[in-house]
Amino acid sequence: YVVRGEGEETFNDLIDCIVNKGDFRNVRGITYIDKAANKPVSTPQRDFIADLDSLPMPAYDLLPMDKYSAPQVLNGVKPFSIIITSRGCPFGCHYCSSSIAWGRRQRRRSPENVILEIETLRKIYGIRALRIEDDLFTLQQEWAGQICDSMVKKGLDNIKWEANSRIGTFDRGLLKKMKQAGCV
């Protein structure tokens, strides 16, 4: 089976269908081989998840968090983690699949939800470095600035981090906030 698009809801439905011997045609967002017809079948695409805060925090307890080290830009610091704070990008760059995978409208987690995850990573796993894996962290400057301000206010500014951006989606004020919050 291939799960297309966002997998959180689709994968759960697929597992339920397998366990309960259901009809795979009712699972939106998958492609599979129909054994009787010996041909691929694609079910209708599932809608994007509108409220990213509704997703549970990743199951970090199932990972060997102490074994992950940061990329070179963050000096290989351990322990290290990756988080996703938004999905989607309005720019349809020909070399990038982001707008196909996540849509051309950015959906963002609330700053409070993002900070809760960073606090959890720091408190439980001792995270010292972080990669914000969003396609475009700085698209909505006020939102990105709120996350940075909260990191400083909550004492998380000693976590070194990096994020993706694009020229024209930030200004000097946001860059200053990012630096104060630990962005390198």
Side-chain angles (χ1 to χ4, degrees), residues 65-92:
M65 295 299 289
D66 60 321
K67 300 207 184 315
Y68 295 105
S69 57
Q72 195 58 43
V73 71
L74 296 171
N75 298 322
V77 171
K78 287 172 94 171
F80 163 80
S81 187
I82 293 173
I83 65 169
I84 297 174
T85 67
S86 70
R87 292 179 177 174
C89 177
F91 303 103

Side-chain angles (χ1 to χ4, degrees), residues 4-17:
R4 303 183 325 270
E6 294 178 314
E8 291 90 354
E9 294 172 352
T10 303
F11 191 72
N12 282 336
D13 289 352
L14 176 60
I15 296 301
D16 286 345
C17 189

Side-chain angles (χ1 to χ4, degrees), residues 71-155:
Q72 195 58 43
V73 71
L74 296 171
N75 298 322
V77 171
K78 287 172 94 171
F80 163 80
S81 187
I82 293 173
I83 65 169
I84 297 174
T85 67
S86 70
R87 292 179 177 174
C89 177
F91 303 103
C93 301
H94 69 279
Y95 55 83
C96 179
S97 64
S98 174
S99 59
I100 296 168
W102 304 116
R104 289 198 63 178
R105 182 180 70 84
Q106 190 184 57
R107 294 161 290 130
R108 293 175 289 280
R109 294 168 54 195
S110 68
E112 297 79 17
N113 185 272
V114 171
I115 293 300
L116 177 62
E117 184 171 352
I118 296 171
E119 285 178 315
T120 301
L121 286 166
R122 178 57 168 207
K123 183 177 180 180
I124 296 176
Y125 303 101
I127 293 303
R128 296 177 45 223
L130 195 60
R131 166 124 181 96
I132 298 178
E133 192 60 38
D134 303 17
D135 294 305
L136 192 49
F137 178 70
T138 59
L139 179 65
Q140 214 293 326
Q141 292 186 44
E142 183 179 336
W143 170 83
Q146 288 173 352
I147 291 171
C148 293
D149 289 343
S150 293
M151 287 182 75
V152 171
K153 183 178 179 182
K154 300 246 181 191

Side-chain angles (χ1 to χ4, degrees), residues 3 47 79 147 176:
V3 173
D47 291 337
I147 291 171
K176 185 176 179 182

